[in-house]
Amino acid sequence: MRRGYSPRGHTVGDDGDEDRRRRAAVRRGGDALRPALRLVEGGAEPESPRRTARARERTRQKVAATPVDRQSNTRSVRARQTQRATATKASGPRRRVIKRRLPKIGNPKRRLRLGMTLILLIFAIAGGRLVQLQVTDAAAYAADALGQRLQEEIIPGSRGSILDRNGERLAFSGAARYVYADPELIEDPKKAADKLTPLLGIPTRELADKMKQTKGDGPPSRFEYLARGVDVEIGDKIEKLEIPGVRVAYDERREVPGQDLAANIIGFTGLDGNGLGGMEASYEDILAGRDGERKYEVSASGQEIPGGFHREEKAKPGSDLKLTVDSDLQYQVQRILSDTMAKKNAEFGAAVVMDADTGEVVSMASAPSYDAANPMEYDKSLRGDRATDSVVEPGSIHKAIVVGAALEEGIIDRDSEPVVGPTITKADNTYRDTHPHEKRPMTIGGILAHSSNVGTIDLADKLGPEKLYEYQKKFGLGAGTDVGVAGEAAGIVREPSTWQGSDFGSIPIGLGVAVTPLQMAAGYNAIANDGMYVQPSLVECTISPDGDKDKADAPKSHRVFSKKTARDLQYVLQGPIVVPDGTGTLAKIPGYNVAGKTGTGKLVRDGEYAPGEVASFVGFAPADKPEYTVAVFAYTPGGGGGEVTGTAFRDIMQYTLGHYRVPPSTEKPADIEVYPT
């Protein structure tokens, strides 16, 4: 079949070829009217619309007239595939088809199961953690969180006052301020310290270290003291600085209105308010108050949260301590002692005034002294009490013990006249009297008046070392008096088994024995108290914050001499004052009979004798009816006891008798001669 139309670009020959291909396709079972596909450069040759329509119509009619045969249909499909392959091969080189392997699609059910498992696991972990936080550890976490928000503030417990026997305050706690820091709220410790140093007088580095946040295993500190006992005015200035994390609160500071008045007895406290010396230290448990505490919840800015946690434990004040000391008398005794030291160029001195009946210490002075309100500004050696911590040789004041023991043991009586030689030798040491004389009888009052070494050693030989040692102990030597002042020394009294060589001559006259001024005052007070030793006391009572008084325990007492021996000793001890050339004539007081003894010994320092002399005078008045005992000691470059301390003894005793309105003596002074006529 020929067609009248040829597409553009085709020739008749080309149409012939096309007819042949179409007939071949029909023989293979294909569509004779469908042109074979072929690849041509530039794309497929367009086909005439009219031819295409007629071809589709013939194909439709043929399919409608032909029964359906799957096998022939399959062969027809294969024929067309072959035809297309042949056309492709004829049109040019065959392109290589690269088959790509598509990824395997996962199983959605498996993914769902895995996802569900993960979700359930997450919920289980979260739920378990919630149970732990809200049930198991809820209290601990809540407490920890609260602890981080809590601010602690100390409420100082008022320290008790120290009063004299008349109720005058010797030391008390006055209003002050303390400065503290919350390190958690301080951003720049160095900057804050720079502002505080000029006001507090504390080095910047020290303040900055306190304000740094604590680093360690424990919880961070929210409270650090920066200074205590700060003046109220200084505290107000610090508050005006408004330094974040630095606060000022009420505090107390120890006030001592008398400054050095009775400072050796009162003692002093540290910056934290604790007692460090004297009665402040000895009676710390009674004087110290119990601090209270205030805890409250604060915000991040450090302000208290209204309605938040708040707990306050009230402070408990300490009790007052009422002493037996008379502040008026104490002032005069300190003045007299200081004047004596200045005149005699003494390094230190001590004076004690005791009530003969009760053993109460109404005055106990040390010189030089210090300001108990500012103790750290003074050398440590000035902050003690010379009456209780200085260990000295008693010297000739020890002779009264030997004479009293000889009287008590019946070796002599008040009217005895033993023969006394000019010297006596013990081992390699020869002892002689300061008043030279030949071998002759002397009165007992004369032995004391001239402070005879030879006469005293003779009496000690008759008494024996064991008996002398026994009376030394009864006299209170070698043991602390437990008067209550911190740091009291016990002194040294040697047992007879340790005596050797010249000890048998030295110990009776007060050499080789170590005592404190208070011990000798208490011993002579036993003579004044008719032979009854009464433990010296400084505390009358304690007064609770409620005003209840608790009297101090009754002092211990024991008998040293019989009343008769004591009375005889009171009489013969007037010898040093009434005998014209006696060692204690400077102690005379108009209108009063005075009994006493002078002494000169050595200072024991670090177990060795120090250069210089310790002059002393111990006695009581009125001698016929003793009311008060006075002891005065002074460590000087040299000089006898009467010369150095006689005047001081007289002035102290005279003021004491007048202060307490003691009536003058009604009996005549003792009639004593050194050598019997």
Side-chain angles (χ1 to χ4, degrees):
M1 179 182 296
R2 286 274 186 190
R3 300 206 182 165
Y5 173 78
S6 298
R8 183 179 297 176
H10 285 256
T11 61
V12 176
D14 292 331
D15 291 339
D17 292 335
E18 181 65 26
D19 290 338
R20 285 193 296 272
R21 284 196 294 272
R22 189 175 295 113
R23 287 192 294 270
V26 171
R27 287 194 300 268
R28 290 192 297 270
D31 186 0
L33 299 179
R34 181 174 181 177
L37 295 178
R38 60 177 178 176
L39 295 176
V40 294
E41 186 177 356
E45 181 180 356
E47 190 173 358
S48 172
R50 291 179 61 188
R51 291 177 60 187
T52 303
R54 287 195 298 270
R56 282 200 298 271
E57 179 62 24
R58 286 195 295 268
T59 302
R60 184 183 63 76
Q61 293 175 357
K62 185 177 180 179
V63 170
T66 306
V68 178
D69 187 350
R70 291 186 178 180
Q71 185 174 2
S72 62
N73 189 33
T74 301
R75 286 196 300 268
S76 175
V77 172
R78 290 178 179 174
R80 285 196 297 271
Q81 290 176 349
T82 303
Q83 184 180 1
R84 285 196 294 269
T86 303
T88 302
K89 184 176 180 180
S91 64
R94 183 180 179 183
R95 293 184 180 181
R96 184 179 178 183
V97 179
I98 299 175
K99 295 183 178 180
R100 295 183 179 178
R101 189 168 184 175
L102 297 177
K104 186 177 181 180
I105 299 176
N107 188 338
K109 292 183 179 181
R110 187 176 181 183
R111 288 199 303 271
L112 288 174
R113 286 196 298 268
L114 179 60
M116 184 61 68
T117 302
L118 291 175
I119 292 172
L120 292 176
L121 181 60
I122 292 172
F123 274 107
I125 294 174
R129 183 60 175 162
L130 287 174
V131 171
Q132 181 185 13
L133 292 176
Q134 297 188 14
V135 179
T136 307
D137 298 335
Y141 281 105
D144 184 60
L146 180 61
Q148 295 179 12
R149 298 192 303 272
L150 284 183
Q151 175 70 54
E152 296 182 4
E153 186 176 310
I154 302 299
I155 304 175
S158 298
R159 188 175 180 85
S161 300
I162 298 180
L163 314 173
D164 81 340
R165 67 185 302 116
N166 301 312
E168 296 294 331
R169 294 192 297 180
L170 298 174
F172 62 94
S173 293
R177 298 290 183 267
Y178 71 82
V179 183
Y180 69 98
D182 182 351
E184 290 289 300
L185 301 178
I186 297 178
E187 296 180 357
D188 189 345
K190 175 66 167 56
K191 184 178 179 180
D194 287 338
K195 295 180 180 179
L196 293 174
T197 293
L199 295 172
L200 296 178
I202 301 175
T204 301
R205 178 177 296 179
E206 182 178 342
L207 289 174
D209 288 343
K210 290 182 178 180
M211 289 187 282
K212 290 180 181 177
Q213 294 185 13
T214 304
K215 295 181 180 179
D217 298 334
S221 173
R222 300 299 303 270
F223 184 95
E224 288 291 337
Y225 275 120
L226 300 182
R228 294 201 65 175
V230 178
D231 289 341
V232 176
E233 295 79 8
I234 298 296
D236 293 341
K237 291 180 180 179
I238 293 175
E239 281 188 319
K240 291 179 180 179
L241 293 176
E242 295 183 349
I243 302 174
V246 176
R247 296 184 177 86
V248 179
Y250 178 82
D251 196 11
E252 293 184 344
R253 181 175 60 190
R254 207 61 170 164
E255 301 287 352
V256 184
Q259 297 181 324
D260 67 341
L261 181 66
N264 58 302
I265 301 174
I266 297 170
F268 56 94
T269 60
L271 295 177
D272 58 356
N274 294 329
L276 299 179
M279 306 296 281
E280 295 276 22
S282 300
Y283 289 85
E284 172 69 16
D285 293 342
I286 292 175
L287 292 168
R290 189 182 67 190
D291 289 345
E293 185 180 56
R294 180 172 173 258
K295 287 186 177 182
Y296 53 91
E297 197 171 353
V298 297
S299 62
S301 63
Q303 301 299 318
E304 183 173 359
I305 300 175
F309 177 88
H310 183 101
R311 186 178 69 188
E312 183 173 320
E313 181 181 351
K314 293 184 178 180
K316 183 179 180 181
S319 297
D320 294 342
L321 190 67
K322 189 175 182 181
L323 304 182
T324 60
V325 173
D326 186 322
S327 57
D328 291 337
L329 177 61
Q330 179 75 19
Y331 173 81
Q332 293 296 332
V333 172
Q334 287 186 208
R335 181 186 62 80
I336 294 169
L337 183 63
S338 296
D339 290 346
T340 299
M341 288 184 54
K343 293 176 182 178
K344 302 301 181 180
N345 195 28
E347 182 178 326
F348 70 82
V352 179
V353 181
M354 292 182 64
D355 186 300
D357 293 333
T358 64
E360 293 178 348
V361 177
V362 292
S363 176
M364 188 163 68
S366 291
S369 190
Y370 68 99
D371 183 356
N374 299 289
M376 299 308 168
E377 296 181 4
Y378 295 81
D379 187 82
K380 182 180 178 180
S381 62
L382 301 178
R383 300 199 297 261
D385 174 51
R386 291 294 186 178
T388 58
D389 63 16
S390 292
V391 180
V392 301
E393 281 186 333
S396 293
I397 57 177
H398 185 271
K399 293 173 182 177
I401 301 176
V402 177
V403 173
L407 288 168
E408 182 71 13
E409 295 299 319
I411 297 172
I412 57 172
D413 57 34
R414 191 178 79 174
D415 299 323
S416 294
E417 300 175 355
V419 177
V420 180
T423 63
I424 189 170
T425 301
K426 295 293 180 182
D428 56 351
N429 197 359
T430 298
Y431 301 88
R432 52 180 48 86
D433 291 340
T434 55
H435 295 69
H437 60 85
E438 298 178 353
K439 185 175 182 179
R440 56 182 301 181
M442 291 183 71
T443 64
I444 301 301
I447 290 174
L448 293 173
H450 280 183
S451 193
S452 173
N453 293 329
V454 177
T456 303
I457 295 172
D458 279 340
L459 292 178
D461 285 344
K462 295 175 182 177
L463 185 64
E466 287 76 13
K467 276 295 179 181
L468 178 56
Y469 177 74
E470 178 185 331
Y471 280 96
Q472 285 177 323
K473 300 297 288 184
K474 286 183 178 181
F475 216 63
L477 307 187
T481 64
D482 293 331
V483 73
V485 179
E488 181 181 10
I492 302 172
V493 175
R494 295 166 54 193
E495 295 184 1
S497 59
T498 65
W499 294 16
Q500 55 185 352
S502 61
D503 289 340
F504 294 90
S506 299
I507 289 176
I509 61 176
L511 305 178
V513 181
V515 301
T516 66
L518 181 60
Q519 284 176 338
M520 292 308 299
Y524 268 72
N525 197 70
I527 300 173
N529 194 28
D530 290 340
M532 181 67 71
Y533 178 94
V534 180
Q535 179 187 16
S537 60
L538 271 171
V539 178
E540 178 182 317
C541 67
T542 59
I543 304 173
S544 71
D546 298 329
D548 296 331
K549 292 184 178 181
D550 184 10
K551 291 191 67 66
D553 295 337
K556 298 177 182 178
S557 62
H558 62 266
R559 182 160 292 282
V560 181
F561 306 123
S562 66
K563 188 174 183 178
K564 180 182 183 306
T565 297
R567 291 289 176 87
D568 289 342
L569 200 52
Q570 292 167 9
Y571 183 87
V572 296
L573 276 173
Q574 295 182 55
I577 291 90
V578 299
V579 171
D581 58 349
T583 59
T585 55
L586 292 177
K588 287 182 180 179
I589 299 175
Y592 292 93
N593 296 332
V594 178
K597 185 71 185 73
T598 60
T600 305
K602 289 285 188 178
L603 173 67
V604 181
R605 179 176 287 167
D606 298 328
E608 298 180 355
Y609 287 125
E613 306 286 343
V614 176
S616 58
F617 197 116
V618 187
F620 44 86
D624 47 315
K625 190 179 179 182
E627 293 285 346
Y628 293 96
T629 300
V630 172
V632 182
F633 286 72
Y635 175 49
T636 67
E643 177 189 353
V644 175
T645 56
T647 303
F649 171 89
R650 179 198 64 201
D651 293 344
I652 292 173
M653 180 62 83
Q654 189 170 13
Y655 182 87
T656 301
L657 296 173
H659 181 68
Y660 290 113
R661 296 179 174 83
V662 177
S665 296
T666 57
E667 296 182 7
K668 293 181 179 181
D671 183 14
I672 296 176
E673 295 181 350
V674 178
Y675 305 106
T677 56

